[in-house]
Amino acid sequence: MSYTGTITAGTITNGQFTHLVATVTSGNVMKLYQDGVLVGTSSGVTAPTVMTRTNHYLGRSNWNVDAMFKGYMKYFRVWQGYELTQDEVNDLYSKRVYGLSLIHISE
């Protein structure tokens, strides 16, 4: 079963770079960070199901009635089974210009 969470916080300005990070905790809480700052949370959500999919889209929906994303994406990263900490989100935001990521994840 899949649930959708919604966070309606933060402001995105056209023509300005915006750094977004979304996490889902093992306790079913989604967090949204904008430019390194936590802007909202939503509870009762679950992480996306790990499965083989026919389509893997960025910037568009699987349904043709939904609008396409109009903009640019510079980076897209996924950490499966690991929730980034506030410090790690800040690190990603502060190094965004250079595309560096110095996060060590031990299993």
Side-chain angles (χ1 to χ4, degrees):
M1 181 166 292
S2 176
Y3 297 97
T4 301
T6 302
I7 297 175
T8 56
T11 302
I12 295 177
T13 304
N14 284 336
Q16 179 178 325
F17 180 84
T18 302
H19 184 263
L20 298 173
V21 173
T23 66
V24 179
T25 69
S26 59
N28 298 332
V29 175
M30 181 172 56
K31 296 179 183 178
L32 180 65
Y33 299 88
Q34 181 177 343
D35 297 334
V37 176
L38 179 65
V39 294
T41 62
S42 180
S43 59
V45 301
T46 57
T49 304
V50 176
M51 61 184 282
T52 301
R53 292 179 168 84
T54 302
N55 302 311
H56 298 275
Y57 297 125
L58 290 175
R60 72 160 284 183
S61 170
N62 200 43
W63 295 270
N64 293 330
V65 297
D66 294 334
M68 299 277 283
F69 173 75
K70 294 180 182 177
Y72 298 96
M73 291 182 211
K74 189 167 185 176
Y75 308 108
F76 180 81
R77 297 178 178 142
V78 175
W79 285 263
Q80 181 180 339
Y82 181 81
E83 179 192 2
L84 296 174
T85 66
Q86 176 73 60
D87 288 341
E88 291 168 331
V89 170
N90 287 333
D91 187 56
L92 286 171
Y93 176 64
S94 68
K95 293 181 173 78
R96 72 197 180 284
V97 175
Y98 306 105
L100 299 175
S101 179
L102 303 176
I103 296 176
H104 174 71
I105 300 174
S106 59
E107 308 237 10

